[in-house]
Amino acid sequence: MTRSSSTIDERSARLFVSIVETKSARIAGAVLHDYHAASATALIGAGLLVPDAPVLVATSLADHDDEPVNLEWSPEQRAYGYFSPAAGWVTVDSERLQVFRFDANAFLVRLTSRLDLPRSARPAERIPGHLWELGDVRLPGRGARVPIWYARRLTDREIWQQVVNYFGGRPPADFRVVVTTSVTRGLAEADLSRHQFIALGDLEISGAGLVVEPTYLAAQLKAGAATHAGDPVRHAAGFRHLWVGEREFKVSVSWLPRGFQLDGLKFHGSRSSMRLWR
């Protein structure tokens, strides 16, 4: 079993997401081992959490005052520790000093492990530490590939604005899907035309945490051309967008009559078939 296919249960997946959504995307080893021992083993074993620089501060374990103490290296003990008036020298286990950070590359390899991406596709970081382009994925029931991205910390207003500015300056040819570990409820998606943000938790299947299931992703799509780029009249799945040549129309209603007009153009048809009246 490879690291990208190792089993991550729901509890471990939720812990990982909570770490990724913090500003530093890091967690202290002491917290991991004291409160999340089983999840720590799974996440570290899968390469999703990797060691970072240690923190040379600990809470006194001998004086019962819960005060942080600075640690010193003891050549005799060959370990870090501190001197306690009550207990003398106290050695602190190295695993408690270690800080772990999320490994973006390992996570994105796992995230896309079930997706049909081009062999040459590699995650490309577009906004450092927050936005990655993953490639164009082939999904069940869709003729054209769908561009898929990953983003974190979208509930942070500053990060959200950076993402809006980045995408706004690079509009998709058709539409764009962004998978995120952030909570999507409340995101101002109206800021971006032809973009859909989908929470990772809506795309996982039991026993395969932190992996996008292609059929779930296909079922979640609300946009994207359901017709072909060469058609004179194109529409998005759900009919939220219509294109006539290079002209785009946004439709806010949940249904369309068989005969209707947009900006003086007359259309005839149904959800499964549409044409422009001549």
Side-chain angles (χ1 to χ4, degrees), residues 33-52:
H33 292 289
D34 286 352
Y35 300 101
H36 309 286
S39 294
T41 299
L43 295 174
I44 294 171
L48 298 173
L49 293 179
V50 295
D52 202 10

Side-chain angles (χ1 to χ4, degrees), residues 259-270:
F260 64 96
Q261 295 188 35
L262 281 176
D263 197 26
L265 297 172
K266 296 181 179 181
F267 294 85
H268 175 72
S270 64

Side-chain angles (χ1 to χ4, degrees), residues 112-211:
T112 59
S113 59
R114 293 192 178 187
L115 297 181
D116 183 1
L117 290 165
R119 290 188 177 183
S120 60
R122 297 291 184 275
E125 192 175 36
R126 300 308 186 193
I127 296 178
H130 293 92
L131 181 68
W132 289 261
E133 183 177 5
L134 305 180
D136 295 341
V137 61
R138 192 182 304 281
L139 293 173
R142 303 187 74 87
R145 288 183 177 270
V146 177
I148 183 170
W149 295 58
Y150 166 72
R152 58 179 284 265
R153 289 188 55 75
L154 294 180
T155 54
D156 182 293
R157 289 188 178 183
E158 182 178 344
I159 301 303
W160 173 254
Q161 194 57 53
Q162 289 182 36
V163 170
V164 169
N165 292 343
Y166 183 90
F167 282 150
R170 301 163 181 81
D174 193 348
F175 82 114
R176 182 181 282 141
V177 173
V178 183
V179 176
T180 180
T181 41
S182 304
V183 175
T184 56
R185 185 177 61 256
L187 292 181
E189 293 190 52
D191 292 348
L192 288 167
S193 173
R194 293 180 288 159
H195 288 74
Q196 184 178 354
F197 294 81
I198 306 176
L200 174 57
D202 292 333
L203 303 174
E204 302 167 294
I205 61 175
S206 178
L210 309 177
V211 178

